[in-house]
Coordinates of all heavy atoms in Angstrom, one line a residue:
D95 N -32.5 126.7 130.9 CA -33.2 126.7 132.2 C -34.5 125.9 132.3 O -34.7 125.2 133.2 CB -33.5 128.1 132.6 CG -32.2 129.0 132.8 OD1 -31.2 128.5 133.3 OD2 -32.3 130.2 132.3
V103 N -50.9 116.0 119.0 CA -52.0 115.8 118.0 C -53.1 114.9 118.6 O -52.8 114.1 119.5 CB -51.5 115.2 116.7 CG1 -50.5 116.2 116.0 CG2 -50.8 113.9 116.9
T112 N -60.7 103.3 115.3 CA -59.5 104.1 115.2 C -58.6 103.6 114.1 O -58.2 102.4 114.0 CB -58.7 104.1 116.5 OG1 -59.6 104.7 117.5 CG2 -57.4 104.9 116.4
D118 N -50.7 105.8 114.9 CA -49.2 105.9 114.7 C -48.8 107.4 114.8 O -47.8 107.7 115.4 CB -48.8 105.3 113.4 CG -48.8 103.8 113.5 OD1 -48.9 103.2 114.6 OD2 -48.8 103.2 112.4
T123 N -46.0 111.7 117.7 CA -46.0 113.1 118.2 C -46.1 113.1 119.7 O -45.2 113.8 120.4 CB -47.1 113.9 117.6 OG1 -47.0 113.9 116.2 CG2 -47.1 115.3 118.1
F129 N -40.7 111.8 124.5 CA -39.5 111.0 124.9 C -38.2 111.7 124.4 O -37.3 111.9 125.2 CB -39.6 109.6 124.4 CG -38.5 108.7 124.8 CD1 -38.7 107.9 125.9 CD2 -37.3 108.6 124.2 CE1 -37.7 107.0 126.4 CE2 -36.3 107.8 124.6 CZ -36.5 107.0 125.7
A135 N -33.6 117.3 126.9 CA -33.6 118.3 128.0 C -32.8 117.8 129.2 O -32.1 118.6 129.8 CB -35.1 118.6 128.3
I145 N -38.4 120.8 133.5 CA -39.0 120.2 132.3 C -40.5 120.1 132.6 O -40.9 119.6 133.6 CB -38.4 118.8 132.1 CG1 -36.9 118.8 131.9 CG2 -39.2 118.1 130.9 CD1 -36.3 117.4 131.8
T166 N -52.0 107.8 124.7 CA -50.7 108.5 124.5 C -50.4 109.5 125.7 O -49.2 109.6 126.1 CB -50.7 109.3 123.2 OG1 -51.6 110.4 123.2 CG2 -51.0 108.4 122.0
L175 N -43.3 111.2 135.5 CA -43.1 110.8 136.8 C -41.8 110.0 137.0 O -41.1 110.2 138.0 CB -44.3 110.0 137.3 CG -45.7 110.7 137.2 CD1 -46.8 109.8 137.7 CD2 -45.7 112.0 137.9
E180 N -35.6 109.8 138.0 CA -34.3 109.5 137.4 C -33.3 110.7 137.5 O -32.1 110.5 137.5 CB -34.5 109.1 135.9 CG -35.1 107.8 135.8 CD -35.3 107.4 134.3 OE1 -35.2 108.2 133.4 OE2 -35.7 106.2 134.1
R182 N -32.8 112.5 140.0 CA -32.5 112.7 141.4 C -31.0 113.3 141.6 O -30.1 112.8 140.9 CB -32.6 111.4 142.2 CG -32.0 111.4 143.6 CD -32.1 110.1 144.3 NE -33.4 109.7 144.5 CZ -34.1 110.0 145.6 NH1 -33.6 110.8 146.5 NH2 -35.4 109.6 145.7
A190 N -45.9 117.7 134.7 CA -46.8 117.7 133.5 C -48.0 118.6 133.8 O -48.5 118.6 135.0 CB -47.3 116.3 133.1
P193 N -54.2 120.1 130.8 CA -55.3 121.0 130.6 C -56.6 120.3 130.4 O -56.7 119.2 129.8 CB -54.9 121.7 129.3 CG -53.5 121.5 129.2 CD -53.2 120.2 129.7
T198 N -58.5 126.2 122.2 CA -57.4 126.2 121.3 C -57.8 125.5 120.0 O -58.9 124.8 120.0 CB -56.2 125.4 121.9 OG1 -56.6 124.0 122.1 CG2 -55.6 126.0 123.1
G204 N -63.5 120.4 114.8 CA -64.5 119.4 114.6 C -65.7 119.5 115.6 O -66.5 118.6 115.5
A209 N -71.8 121.8 121.0 CA -70.9 120.9 121.7 C -69.9 121.6 122.6 O -69.7 121.3 123.8 CB -70.1 120.0 120.8
V210 N -69.4 122.7 122.1 CA -68.4 123.5 122.8 C -69.1 124.1 124.1 O -68.6 124.1 125.2 CB -67.8 124.7 122.0 CG1 -67.0 125.6 122.8 CG2 -66.9 124.0 120.9
L222 N -64.7 127.6 129.1 CA -63.5 126.9 128.6 C -62.3 127.6 129.3 O -62.3 128.8 129.6 CB -63.4 127.0 127.1 CG -64.4 126.3 126.3 CD1 -64.1 126.5 124.8 CD2 -64.5 124.8 126.6
E230 N -50.3 130.4 132.9 CA -50.0 130.7 134.3 C -49.5 129.5 135.1 O -48.6 129.6 135.9 CB -51.3 131.3 134.9 CG -51.6 132.7 134.4 CD -53.0 133.2 134.9 OE1 -53.8 132.4 135.4 OE2 -53.2 134.4 134.7
F234 N -45.8 129.1 136.8 CA -45.6 128.6 138.1 C -44.6 127.5 138.2 O -43.7 127.5 139.0 CB -47.0 128.3 138.7 CG -46.9 127.7 140.1 CD1 -46.5 128.4 141.2 CD2 -47.2 126.3 140.3 CE1 -46.5 127.9 142.5 CE2 -47.2 125.8 141.6 CZ -46.8 126.5 142.7
L235 N -44.8 126.5 137.4 CA -43.9 125.3 137.4 C -42.5 125.6 136.9 O -41.6 125.0 137.4 CB -44.5 124.1 136.6 CG -45.8 123.5 137.1 CD1 -46.4 122.6 136.1 CD2 -45.6 122.9 138.5
G237 N -41.0 128.5 137.4 CA -40.3 129.5 138.3 C -40.4 129.1 139.7 O -39.6 128.4 140.2
G244 N -42.4 115.8 139.9 CA -43.0 114.5 139.7 C -44.5 114.5 139.8 O -45.1 113.6 140.3
R248 N -53.6 119.1 137.0 CA -54.8 119.1 136.2 C -55.4 120.5 136.2 O -56.1 120.9 137.1 CB -55.8 118.1 136.6 CG -55.1 116.7 136.6 CD -56.1 115.6 136.4 NE -55.4 114.3 136.4 CZ -54.7 113.8 135.4 NH1 -54.5 114.5 134.3 NH2 -54.1 112.6 135.5

Side-chain angles (χ1 to χ4, degrees):
D95 297 320
V103 295
T112 298
D118 289 343
T123 303
F129 187 95
I145 298 171
T166 68
L175 304 180
E180 290 178 347
R182 172 183 292 278
T198 64
V210 170
L222 294 180
E230 289 170 348
F234 173 70
L235 293 173
R248 300 209 183 283

